[in-house]
Amino acid sequence: MSANLSNIRHTHGLDVVKPLSITTLILVMMPLVLLPLASIFIFGTSSGLRSFWNALTAPEAVFALQLSIVTSFWATVFNVVFGLFAAYVLTKYNFWGRNALIVTISLPTAIPTAVAGFALLLLWGPYGILGRFLDPHGIHLMFTAAAIILANIFVTFPLAFGVIKPVFDTMNQSLEEASATMGATRWQTFWHVTLPSLRGAILSGALLTFARAVGEFGSTILVSGNLAGRTQTAPLYIFAKFNEGQVEAANAIAIVLALFSFLIFSVLFLARDWLEAE
Amino acid sequence: MKDNIQTNQAAVSVEGVSKKFGAAVVLDDINFSVLEGETLVLLGASGSGKTTILRIIAGLETPDSGRVILHGKDVTELPARARGVGVIFQNYALFPKMTVEGNIGYGLRLRGRPKSDIAEIVNTLIELTHLEEHRRKHPSQLSGGQQQRVAIARALAYNPEVLLFDEPFGALDAQIRTRLRREIRALLREIKVPSIFITHDQEEALELGDRIAVLNQGRLEQIGTPYNVYNKPATEFVATFLGAANLLLGIVNENRFEAEDIFLKIEPDPKIRDGQSVKLVFRPEDVFLRRPENLTQNYQPLVDGIVEEVNFVGAFERVVVRLNISTRPPILVTRPKSETTVFPLEPGVKVPVGLVRFRILPNYTLASERAARVI
Ligand SMILES: Nc1ncnc2c1ncn2[C@@H]1O[C@H](COP(=O)(O)OP(=O)(O)OP(=O)(O)O)[C@@H](O)[C@H]1O
Ligand SMILES: [Mg+2]
């Protein structure tokens, strides 16, 4: 279809519309996306790889990166498992309030991340609705790594579900019935028949969640306390260093995060096709 | 209409099964059995409840009442996985992420059979279904016919109590259907596994079934051999659903069918009393358009008619004839080549119309009458 479209000829001889429209496209993208990204790399390496390396291996920087990866990892594990479970339940069973649940799961997409962080504080903070009962027992959720995980779970909640649910919806129900008539228990059917068809969706759901969690800023800054070397994630580190005027330190981490997202993006792009094949 | 087969020698018995979806009665007191090694075809229009019967036998649907018995064992309460039936779904439902071998061996792996056994059985089935070249392929790389053979092999692997086919040719074009139908019939004869085969295609039913059960809006109208169901339809529905049929309204009087100027001698039938309104049912190929010279069959003259239309339809000729009285709907007659070359016909010609075979069926005009009839 699209191949045919490009073959339609509107003019004889030189077609000026084509080069013109491509140039416009690139010109619009340049200042908005391409140049900002490029400047991270240009600036970051301008004073030599040596200082870039030093900025990167500063203990606080390493800690921030590690913390981001670990907290994002656990948020991803939770949201993928939960998303899978929620998609299964909401596809298999029809019950009153089903649609309301689907909407609720998707809701965090629409909530500003700062609001999400604030809401968590109001619930779990030392004077929060639940937190005030935990506080006397010495249980403090807020301003710890756990708070970062909670915030990450909240803001990335719908992502894995959103990728997995449509695959469930289009999955042929007779596959599971066939498996049952052949002697499989519900669990065997899920493991041997349902799950293999979800591999692609699970991988992309996980990568999306992880990428989003690693970059999370708005909610994290509220709930983590932003303590360098303790609860400071990579994006918070960038912000803090920039505020302190240490632009090179901020830039080194920015480069790592940017490269990281390129990587995830490429894996998503390539693995999808590879997993869907057969 | 209950077939007189003892439950204990049947591979499958469905006894008094009824099912409603909401307020809609989808199955109404269904009774039938399938013998060991037999193929029963369930024939019915779309929405008549065929798939529902099959799903109830497989355990994918629960009947509101009635029982399902497999080889003498009441399985009505058993879940699908414990019944050991083989279902060939309309779209085959092959597992897309498993190879042909993986699909065929799945039922055996679930049963925890040793690897060497599985490999051996899978090999035998791959040979039986001629899938040697395709064993390592995934379902999406196979043609419709090949997928179907995988579906059958997959169901055969674990020695199913019965094979259930839900319109397995539905998605294929006419030519392939005919070929696959032959293949399946040969396979079913070879493996001798009792089978229930669903279709809405009468030709398919006649060719595949050892017996045919005709389903109409959730009720079983007739069950019998293809010959009997075709030639001795028990109801008007069966007569018209299996092939074309001409219908003439009349009454019975002293072992005669009477309709104005038409009189036919009929066999006495205890179910039909004198003066009862009936329908004369006859197939287009059972009509004769000339006086027979040496016909030894039970030829009976009907009345004269005028030829209205003559069409060649491939192997035979289709003739539309209007019987004597002009208010009657015209009847349809088919004639083989041997007839058409010797006695050519053209529109406007007057012909004597006679029958070599016909049925007299009660004319149920009221639904309550029909429901109350003894079957
Ligand atoms: N799960 C269900 N819920 C409600 N109604 C159903 C359900 N399954 C089937 N029906 C209804 O029951 C009737 C019989 O359905 P069934 O699928 O058994 O028909 P069928 O003879 O197999 O038709 P087809 O030839 O179109 O496949 C139909 O009217 C259908 O709409
Ligand atoms: Mg059906």
Side-chain angles (χ1 to χ4, degrees):
Chain A
M1 186 71 193
S2 57
N4 289 340
L5 214 60
S6 67
N7 288 336
I8 300 170
R9 297 195 56 167
H10 295 282
T11 54
H12 295 282
L14 183 69
D15 181 1
V16 287
V17 177
K18 182 176 163 186
L20 213 68
S21 48
I22 295 175
T23 312
T24 313
L25 187 68
I26 294 173
L27 280 180
V28 171
M29 286 171 68
M30 279 294 254
L32 294 177
V33 182
L34 299 176
L35 283 180
L37 280 176
S39 47
I40 299 179
F41 293 96
I42 295 165
F43 188 89
T45 50
S46 59
S47 43
L49 281 175
R50 175 105 232 134
S51 67
F52 167 74
W53 185 249
N54 286 340
L56 195 64
T57 50
E60 282 179 10
V62 172
F63 179 87
L65 276 173
Q66 276 175 348
L67 183 66
S68 274
I69 288 169
V70 170
T71 51
S72 303
F73 174 79
W74 289 114
T76 304
V77 168
F78 180 87
N79 275 346
V80 167
V81 172
F82 177 83
L84 196 59
F85 173 71
Y88 184 85
V89 172
L90 291 169
T91 313
K92 282 280 124 66
Y93 307 110
N94 214 339
F95 52 92
W96 189 86
R98 180 167 158 273
N99 281 333
L101 270 183
I102 293 179
V103 172
T104 314
I105 291 180
S106 317
L107 193 62
T109 335
I111 294 181
T113 54
V115 176
F118 189 56
L120 283 173
L121 276 179
L122 291 183
L123 181 67
W124 296 111
Y127 305 103
I129 295 170
L130 290 175
R132 81 176 80 150
F133 301 108
L134 297 177
D135 198 55
H137 303 286
I139 302 171
H140 311 288
L141 273 179
M142 290 296 101
F143 318 122
T144 65
I148 300 171
I149 296 177
L150 275 181
N152 280 345
I153 287 176
F154 188 100
V155 293
T156 62
F157 200 55
L159 294 179
F161 174 79
V163 179
I164 295 168
K165 179 77 168 38
V167 183
F168 262 110
D169 288 338
T170 56
M171 204 180 289
N172 188 348
Q173 194 204 333
S174 54
L175 287 184
E176 297 182 353
E177 291 185 341
S179 175
T181 60
M182 294 174 75
T185 60
R186 222 181 278 211
W187 172 249
Q188 285 172 318
T189 297
F190 181 77
W191 188 253
H192 295 297
V193 175
T194 315
L195 209 52
S197 300
L198 291 170
R199 280 189 307 215
I202 290 176
L203 180 78
S204 34
L207 287 176
L208 276 177
T209 308
F210 194 74
R212 179 77 179 74
V214 163
E216 177 51 21
F217 181 84
S219 62
T220 321
I221 198 157
L222 281 163
V223 301
S224 71
N226 195 10
L227 303 170
R230 286 181 52 202
T231 59
Q232 193 171 63
T233 62
L236 300 188
Y237 179 87
I238 295 176
F239 183 65
K241 289 300 155 190
F242 180 76
N243 276 349
E244 293 165 20
Q246 303 186 35
V247 182
E248 267 194 17
N251 199 258
I253 298 294
I255 287 183
V256 173
L257 289 188
L259 285 177
F260 180 73
S261 30
F262 285 144
L263 183 74
I264 288 192
F265 192 77
S266 321
V267 173
L268 268 179
F269 213 75
L270 298 173
R272 232 12 230 278
D273 288 347
W274 173 70
L275 280 168
E276 300 297 301
E278 279 158 28
Chain B
M1 164 105 134
K2 264 208 168 110
D3 47 352
N4 309 317
I5 291 156
Q6 291 294 301
T7 304
N8 54 22
Q9 63 180 86
V12 185
S13 296
V14 171
E15 298 181 354
V17 162
S18 298
K19 177 78 183 172
K20 281 186 195 170
F21 284 118
V25 179
V26 171
L27 295 177
D28 183 7
D29 191 25
I30 302 289
N31 291 284
F32 66 85
S33 304
V34 184
L35 297 183
E36 213 54 72
E38 185 189 38
T39 302
L40 178 82
V41 171
L42 265 180
L43 176 68
S46 181
S48 56
K50 306 180 296 289
T51 300
T52 308
I53 294 186
L54 195 124
R55 291 174 61 83
I56 286 175
I57 297 174
L60 297 170
E61 206 84 72
T62 5
D64 297 337
S65 59
R67 300 190 304 157
V68 176
I69 290 155
L70 298 180
H71 289 108
K73 186 177 171 213
D74 189 336
V75 298
T76 317
E77 303 297 326
L78 284 186
R81 79 181 138 84
R83 293 193 185 192
V85 302
V87 185
I88 288 86
F89 288 83
Q90 185 156 15
N91 52 13
Y92 314 131
L94 299 180
F95 305 128
K97 306 282 171 177
M98 292 184 202
T99 60
V100 167
E101 285 177 327
N103 268 281
I104 298 177
Y106 183 64
L108 297 168
R109 274 180 276 138
L110 291 175
R111 284 164 178 73
R113 299 283 290 271
K115 276 217 166 64
S116 55
D117 282 16
I118 298 179
E120 198 183 314
I121 297 172
V122 168
N123 273 334
T124 317
L125 286 167
I126 281 183
E127 272 170 41
L128 178 75
T129 48
H130 309 295
L131 288 164
E132 289 91 343
E133 300 156 47
H134 311 293
R135 52 195 312 154
R136 300 238 148 68
K137 289 188 186 167
H138 283 89
S140 59
Q141 298 165 294
L142 300 176
S143 74
Q146 290 158 354
Q147 291 185 34
Q148 181 175 70
R149 297 208 295 273
V150 178
I152 297 174
R154 182 176 78 169
L156 285 174
Y158 50 92
N159 283 326
E161 305 262 342
V162 57
L163 278 183
L164 308 173
F165 294 83
D166 192 357
E167 304 210 32
F169 306 131
L172 305 169
D173 61 62
Q175 241 176 349
I176 298 176
R177 283 174 84 110
T178 334
R179 206 193 71 221
L180 288 184
R181 196 193 294 161
R182 308 249 149 87
E183 277 182 30
I184 287 216
R185 191 183 50 179
L187 187 68
L188 289 176
R189 298 270 185 279
E190 191 178 338
I191 56 178
K192 294 198 172 60
V193 176
S195 308
I196 298 177
F197 195 103
I198 285 186
T199 183
H200 60 256
D201 182 323
Q202 47 123 344
E203 217 181 290
E204 211 161 280
L206 292 171
E207 187 166 346
L208 277 171
D210 293 318
R211 284 188 303 149
I212 299 177
V214 186
L215 200 65
N216 178 28
Q217 298 183 349
R219 293 172 127 263
L220 216 46
E221 296 261 335
Q222 186 174 8
I223 182 164
T225 61
Y227 182 89
N228 276 346
V229 174
Y230 188 81
N231 290 309
K232 298 174 186 164
T235 65
E236 184 184 331
F237 177 83
V238 176
T240 49
F241 196 73
L242 267 123
N246 294 296
L247 302 168
L248 277 181
L249 209 58
I251 58 161
V252 168
N253 200 5
E254 290 174 354
N255 291 336
R256 278 202 316 182
F257 169 85
E258 300 184 1
E260 288 153 293
D261 55 343
I262 292 175
F263 300 95
L264 272 182
K265 232 171 42 235
I266 60 172
E267 301 281 310
D269 182 344
K271 275 186 282 185
I272 293 170
R273 42 189 169 72
D274 273 2
Q276 183 172 343
S277 167
V278 292
K279 272 181 181 149
L280 172 69
V281 182
F282 53 96
R283 300 216 175 270
E285 68 270 25
D286 293 334
V287 185
F288 242 72
L289 296 182
R290 62 185 168 93
R291 297 250 178 260
E293 283 134 34
N294 45 10
L295 260 183
T296 49
Q297 284 167 292
N298 332 315
Y299 175 87
Q300 282 208 57
L302 202 61
V303 73
D304 284 348
I306 306 285
V307 173
E308 285 204 332
E309 259 180 62
V310 181
N311 297 308
F312 290 101
V313 218
F316 54 88
E317 184 187 74
R318 197 194 304 243
V319 188
V320 179
V321 179
R322 189 169 288 281
L323 300 182
N324 220 358
I325 294 167
S326 62
T327 51
R328 275 195 199 116
I331 65 163
L332 190 68
V333 182
T334 52
R335 305 198 305 158
K337 271 226 177 76
S338 54
E339 273 295 294
T340 59
T341 43
V342 188
F343 298 95
L345 289 175
E346 54 188 58
V349 174
K350 188 172 170 186
V351 283
V353 178
L355 304 179
V356 293
R357 189 190 279 130
F358 57 84
R359 296 275 289 170
I360 299 291
L361 297 174
N363 178 33
Y364 297 112
T365 45
L366 297 172
S368 57
E369 251 182 282
R370 185 185 139 80
R373 85 197 153 160
V374 190
I375 50 169

